[in-house]
Structures are given as C-alpha cells and as structure tokens.
Amino acid sequence: MPSIAIDPDRLLGDLEHLRSFGAREGGVVRRAFSDADIAARQWLAGRMEAAGLEPVFDPVGNLFGLPKTDTPCILSGSHSDSQPEGGWLDGAYGVIAALEVARASADAGGPPVAVVSFQDEEGRFGALTGSRVWTGALPLDEADRLTDLEGRTFAEARAGMSGLSGPDFVDPGRFSGFIEAHIEQGPVLDDAQEAIGVVDVVVGIRSLQVRFTGYQNHAGTTPMDARRDAFQGLVAFAEAINREFVDIVTPSTVWTIGHVTLQPNASSIVPGQADFTVQWRDGSVDRLDRMEETVRATADRICDERALHLDLSNYVSVPPTEMNSGLRGSLEQAASELAPGKWRVMPSGALHDAANVARLMPAAMLFVPSIGGVSHNFSEDTKRKDLIRGAEVLARAIAG
Ligand code: HGY
Ligand code: MN
Ligand code: MN
C-alpha cells in the first residue's frame, strides 16, 4: 500500500478558506442552511470535484464527495455548519482533513476515499440532524417538522437548498467504514501536551425544548402570591434538577440549560412564557434514563405547583456509542508511529456524527488538541502542527 503524503499547505489553505464563510472575530457564524453555510458547501463541492470526487447533495443538505469506484470504500468527514457562535475548526477540520487525505491518496495511487460534510450537526433543529436522517435514526417526515428557535421548520430551511439537493440519499452500502477527525473541544490533550486522541466511546445525549406558560401581568400591581411567573418556574426547575441529580450523576456527567427566551422579556412585565432547552450527557444509558425521568417529573411538579402550562418538544436522544475496534486499531497504530508517546485512548464528551454513522457501519474518531480546551467559542484554535499531524494519522490509518 503506497504511503500517502498529505500536503500541509493545501490542508491549511483550505481550512483558512472555509473559515472565510461566516467569518466573525476569528471564529465563524455558519448556521445550518444559512447563506454562509450554503456558500461554504458549494465551495466544498467545487473542491471535491477538483479532487476527482463527484459532489452529491442529498435531500437534507448532507454533501458527499464520491470517488469513482465499484467497491465499498472508506468514508471520512464531519460537518461544516457551526454553532451560533462557532470556532473555525469544529467540524470543518474533519471535512478538510478528509478531503486532503482523499486527494493525497488519489495522488499516490492509494485507496479511494469518500468525503462527507453532514448538515446541521450543530443542532439548529435539534442535534446531528443530517446524519440522524441519513442513518435512519430520524425519519425525514419527522425531521421536517422540527423547528428552530425562530419557529422555522427543517422542511422550510432545507427547501433553501432544493436547487442543489438531489432526490436520493447516498447508499451507505457504498462505504466500508467511517473515520471522523475532530478537534477534542476539551482540555485533556492540551493539558497533557499530547498530539492525538483515539476515541473509544462517544457519550450519549438527551435534550428537550421546554415551554412554561404562565400569565403576563403588571410587574407593579400584581401581588407576588397572585403571579404565574414563567421565569420563576424556570429558576425553580433549574435548582430542583441540580439538587435531584446529585444522587444520579458522576463527575463526568454534564447537563446544561443553554438557551432561554422570555416573553415578552420586559422589565415591567411578569414573564408569561419561558422557552428553554435542557440537555444532559453521559456514557451510561441507565443514567441518561434516570436523568430523563427526573427532568420530566420535575417539570411536571413545578408546573403543577405554580399553575404553569408545560409543553415539551424537539426531543433528541443519541445513545452512548462504542467506536469500532478494527478502525480504532488502525488509528492507534498510526498514532503510535506518528506521535509516539504523545497519544491516548479517550472518550468523547462532545457529540459527533460518528455516533450516528456507527449504527450502519464500523466507525471511529481521532482528536487533535484544542488550545486551552476551548470550543463553541470564537477563540477556538489548534496549533498548526497538530492539525497537520492529525491529517497524517488519518491518512496512515486509511491507507496504511
Ligand atoms: O454539542 C456537541 O457536542 C457538538 O459539538 N455539537
Ligand atoms: Mn463538531
Ligand atoms: Mn460543535
């Protein structure tokens, strides 16, 4: 098997170009289906074509670069959409590293490599929407009913790409396995001054969109005991789950109320409506179940006690996912050759498309360090030598 030599300048040059779509304060704002996202995907399709790959947009905006081969080949990639305030490497790194390995392999007469940029990994409509639909974890008609925080549906958003999207989904049978390169997004590798993480398990996540509806009233004339204050309900809910989780969680369990909107959000009006997301993550299904029971029971109780109406929607559940031992072994071998003494096996506390793709085929992940462990922040960054080393490990794992 010929050794594949990636081109560091081409890798870094494409990463910097992708960074220009939705560029903001060193990071990116590139929400799924936004103009910046669609422009970035069109540019990626051009780069795939220039690499000899056939660019194919599926019905939900996932972009594949398919090599000409009649035997199943390895698929590599990640996502190119971002958080509302995203770093320039989250997802983007895995897409460009995969493209660079595909090019380098073709240049060296190595194995064909397919490339993918999944859509809406960052969950404008929930979480990992594009790969959940592609892998069958989420039926398309159900996905189409998902809404973003402005009330726009997934169907409306994806219609914005109808000129690019084909009618069919790419057959997963075209691929022998999936490897995703990603920044760690945490402090472990950076603190240890290591270069490569090989993932053994991707934690599971559950999340819900919650609405408490009370009664909007005058903040000066409404006695405290006559209020149906949705914000106070949210505060009571947050305090209650923090208390009740103590007997369920471990130090590595996390939970977040990350998005909150109040209606009408005015200083002299008792809030009539509170909309918020609650998500929780852990490596154990049993613990995720017990946390879910607590979330639902606590929301019911708080609303009963405070005469609030409860609505739950946009439920997301991705189970903890073991990575494939065979592909993991290839990554470990490559890491031990290219980063001897500077790599480790580790879990992923962040969610990734690999967790969905693992439902259909062998899947594995490798990490490169995040400086200061910072991510989902405009200042997210990785040393350039680590970006290059990660692509070299990916190339070695794919083509030996
Ligand atoms: O939230 C996550 O874990 C991923 O970065 N979307
Ligand atoms: Mn990501
Ligand atoms: Mn992310």
Side-chain angles (χ1 to χ4, degrees), residues 14-24 27-28 30 36 40 43 88:
D14 275 356
L15 273 172
E16 288 293 350
H17 192 101
L18 182 50
R19 185 181 202 170
S20 68
F21 295 97
R24 179 88 61 86
V28 292
R30 206 164 57 219
W43 173 77
W88 72 293

Side-chain angles (χ1 to χ4, degrees), residues 79 83 90 121-122 128 182 185 205 279 281 349-352 376:
H79 61 94
Q83 283 283 331
D90 181 352
E121 189 278 348
E122 294 290 14
L128 308 174
H182 206 285
Q185 302 183 287
I205 188 173
Q279 63 162 252
R281 307 186 192 205
L351 212 55
H352 299 289
H376 285 190

